[in-house]
Amino acid sequence: MRELFFKLFEMSHFNTGIKVTAFSVPHIVYLLLIAGAIVGLYFAFRKSTDEKKKRLFDIMVITLLVSYLSDFFVHEFVYANEVGGVMVGGGLNMDKLPFHICTVLCPIAVVVQFNGKARKHFLEPVALLAVLAPMMYLVYPASIGSGEPWCYQAVQTMFYHGLLMAWGILHIALGAVKPNLKKSWKAAALLVGITLWAKLGNVLLEHNWFFLEEDAFYIGLVANGIIPAWVLMIINPIVFFAAVLGVYGVYYLVMWIKGKVKGKKEEVAPAETAEETVVAPTEVEEEAAAAEVKEA
């Protein structure tokens, strides 16, 4: 049984040499599939009731949680290595613990989805971060591994981030969340909390969650003494908050354009109605006149 699991979760099934690297064909295909799924769900549920939309979000976040938790049970096989012709288990992948922003958003999303008070006060900032964090990863999937695009590691990683992003985007697109810039301080507060939480994990378990010990691109800003590690505790949440403000800007721009288009349609509609009311009596009068001539 153990050997079978090593085979099922291995990185390469067909030895094709194909990998999901940034901006490669497999990467672009994954992005198109995720974008297509989000657009499809939007059109499928845009006219649904709030109850049906809520049910959709419930299913999405439950699926996200199952994907996240079940992944820990197969790390032994996913990250295994062959030593002397014998497969040796890879053990736990520390990077998947809930200290990165993408991984910690899973339990946070579950709480705001099913807890009324948390949903009321924190759904907006969580949804905004759920759009941004996985989007950043999906655009540049640096840590997806060296497996083939259809191996478990690649599928699970892209599925998890894609589903988390879809949950955030659809909350905004379907009107469940209406971003209000005055509430942006909540996103800032949440980012501060995530930063402190990640730092605690780094100190206790000696890791680099939320890239607080070394920069996200691993170009050696800390290792080479260019900046001290504590500076990243300021830079990282500020960068994310700036991105959050960018999302607010995009949202308001879309709403402004939508309002303009709607206004033009409303201006055209009365003109068409007036034209119809003028033409209609004329046609009736012509028909009546023709009837009178025929009778005569």
Side-chain angles (χ1 to χ4, degrees):
M1 180 65 76
R2 184 173 171 81
E3 295 302 320
L4 173 62
F5 270 61
F6 279 128
K7 192 69 179 174
L8 288 174
F9 294 98
E10 65 183 357
M11 296 291 188
S12 176
H13 295 288
F14 305 107
N15 297 318
T16 60
I18 303 174
K19 302 176 183 178
V20 183
T21 54
F23 313 115
S24 63
V25 172
H27 177 212
I28 294 172
V29 170
Y30 264 117
L31 292 180
L32 291 175
L33 288 173
I34 292 169
I38 293 172
V39 172
L41 286 171
Y42 168 74
F43 281 105
F45 286 88
R46 61 175 178 164
K47 295 181 180 179
S48 299
T49 62
D50 290 342
E51 184 180 353
K52 287 185 178 180
K53 291 176 184 178
K54 174 66 164 56
R55 192 177 303 123
L56 169 67
F57 298 138
D58 289 348
I59 293 172
M60 291 178 74
V61 84
I62 289 171
T63 305
L64 183 75
L65 181 62
V66 171
S67 174
Y68 179 65
L69 293 179
S70 62
D71 184 53
F72 286 100
F73 290 89
V74 295
H75 284 186
E76 174 78 357
F77 310 103
V78 175
Y79 304 103
N81 293 294
E82 187 175 344
V83 180
V86 179
M87 295 302 295
V88 178
L92 176 69
N93 181 358
M94 295 281 287
D95 212 42
K96 294 290 189 80
L97 291 175
F99 292 99
H100 270 311
I101 188 167
C102 285
T103 51
V104 76
L105 280 175
C106 178
I108 292 176
V110 172
V111 172
V112 299
Q113 185 65 41
F114 295 106
N115 183 281
K117 290 184 178 180
R119 184 177 181 82
K120 179 180 178 181
H121 296 290
F122 289 100
L123 178 59
E124 180 177 320
V126 174
L128 291 173
L129 290 180
V131 172
L132 287 171
M135 183 182 291
M136 290 178 178
Y137 179 85
L138 289 170
V139 169
Y140 192 79
S143 60
I144 196 171
S146 59
E148 294 174 326
W150 43 81
C151 76
Y152 169 82
Q153 184 194 23
V155 173
Q156 193 277 335
T157 302
M158 298 302 277
F159 175 79
Y160 174 85
H161 287 85
L163 183 58
L164 178 60
M165 185 177 71
W167 181 83
I169 290 176
L170 288 173
H171 261 92
I172 298 172
L174 294 176
V177 168
K178 296 180 180 178
N180 183 350
L181 189 59
K182 293 180 180 179
K183 297 180 180 179
S184 61
W185 66 269
K186 293 184 178 181
L190 183 59
L191 282 167
V192 170
I194 291 174
T195 301
L196 295 175
W197 172 247
K199 186 63 178 180
L200 176 63
N202 291 339
V203 171
L204 295 178
L205 301 174
E206 297 183 341
H207 203 67
N208 186 32
W209 285 297
F210 201 26
F211 305 107
L212 297 178
E213 308 305 317
E214 187 55 88
D215 62 276
F217 298 103
Y218 287 97
I219 58 178
L221 293 180
V222 175
N224 295 326
I226 299 174
I227 61 171
W230 64 265
V231 173
L232 293 174
M233 290 188 66
I234 299 174
I235 294 175
N236 289 4
I238 287 178
V239 168
F240 265 93
F241 184 64
V244 168
L245 295 179
V247 174
Y248 276 109
V250 171
Y251 174 78
Y252 282 122
L253 177 62
V254 171
M255 291 296 103
W256 180 79
I257 294 173
K258 189 176 179 180
K260 284 288 185 180
V261 172
K262 186 178 179 181
K264 287 183 178 180
K265 287 182 178 179
E266 289 176 351
E267 287 176 6
V268 173
E272 291 177 348
T273 305
E275 186 179 347
E276 289 175 1
T277 53
V278 170
V279 172
T282 305
E283 291 177 350
V284 172
E285 289 172 2
E286 288 178 356
E287 290 178 0
E292 288 177 1
V293 171
K294 191 174 182 181
E295 288 177 2

